[in-house]
């Protein structure tokens, strides 16, 4: 069997080179690879919470994998700042087309025999239960980034946190509420505070 070389994973490895929040003054820089890992963990947790407490039925491992690849197209497009991406409907639609083309380009880099396995991760329809959940995890992680920055005294993220809080309110459900009540408060604490068994 002749094997053709693929640049797919070399592209994926470059997620760590793409900085998020490019227009914001950040105390701690965040790249797309770090963000994707956190979104995967949170998406996994949201499914586990829903399945455990609220009669959910989704697969947490599949949710985590979708989340891990949710920003993969940014290795080709870069991370377009939110104020630019949603400046108006024309720009939003155009960026969706660019994103879709980038996802397809990444999929086409894979050997044809592997494309069916990766298509649901790279080119999801963004309308099913998993896509909704991954988007919720994505927003939650952006909210957590704001909480960390504000906790460190960076007021640059105050308006972003307020906007993201409203977005979470619009999507609020049992598993998001559980995550916010149980896990989110720790993100505003110091290392000593989260390390202390008495806190």
């Amino acid at each position: 069997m002749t094997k053709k070389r693929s640049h797919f994973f070399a592209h994926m490895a470059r997620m760590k080179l793409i900085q998020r929040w490019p227009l914001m003054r950040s105390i701690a820089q965040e790249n797309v690879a770090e963000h994707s890992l956190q979104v995967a963990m949170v998406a996994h947790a949201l499914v586990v919470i829903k399945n455990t407490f609220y009669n959910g039925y989704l697969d947490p491992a599949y949710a985590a994998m979708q989340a891990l690849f949710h920003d993969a197209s940014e290795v080709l497009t870069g991370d377009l700042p939110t104020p630019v991406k949603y400046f108006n409907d024309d720009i939003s639609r155009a960026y969706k087309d660019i994103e879709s083309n980038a996802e397809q380009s990444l999929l086409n880099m894979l050997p044809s025999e592997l494309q069916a396995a990766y298509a649901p991760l790279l080119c999801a329809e963004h309308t099913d239960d998993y896509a909704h959940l991954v988007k919720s995890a994505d927003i939650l992680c952006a909210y957590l980034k704001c909480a960390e920055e504000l906790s460190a005294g960076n007021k640059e993220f105050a308006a972003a946190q307020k906007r993201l809080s409203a977005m979470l309110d619009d999507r609020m459900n049992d598993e998001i509420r559980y995550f916010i009540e149980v896990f989110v408060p720790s993100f505003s604490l110091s290392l000593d505070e989260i390390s202390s068994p008495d806190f």
Side-chain angles (χ1 to χ4, degrees), residues 25-38:
R25 290 188 296 273
S26 300
I27 289 174
Q29 295 297 317
E30 180 184 54
N31 64 52
V32 172
E34 294 166 334
H35 169 69
S36 297
L37 174 61
Q38 187 181 35

Side-chain angles (χ1 to χ4, degrees), residues 62 65 69 107 110-123:
Y62 185 70
M65 288 308 298
F69 283 90
L107 185 65
L110 286 159
S112 58
E113 299 86 349
L114 302 181
Q115 289 182 13
Y118 282 88
L121 303 177
L122 293 169
C123 305

Side-chain angles (χ1 to χ4, degrees), residues 137-152:
D138 188 29
I139 295 167
L140 260 171
C141 290
Y143 179 87
L144 294 175
K145 167 66 174 171
C146 293
E148 290 174 327
E149 290 284 334
L150 287 166
S151 179

Side-chain angles (χ1 to χ4, degrees), residues 10-22:
H11 276 281
M12 292 297 96
R14 290 175 179 262
M15 287 201 295
K16 64 181 173 284
L17 304 178
I18 302 166
Q19 296 301 313
R20 287 175 47 80
W21 308 93

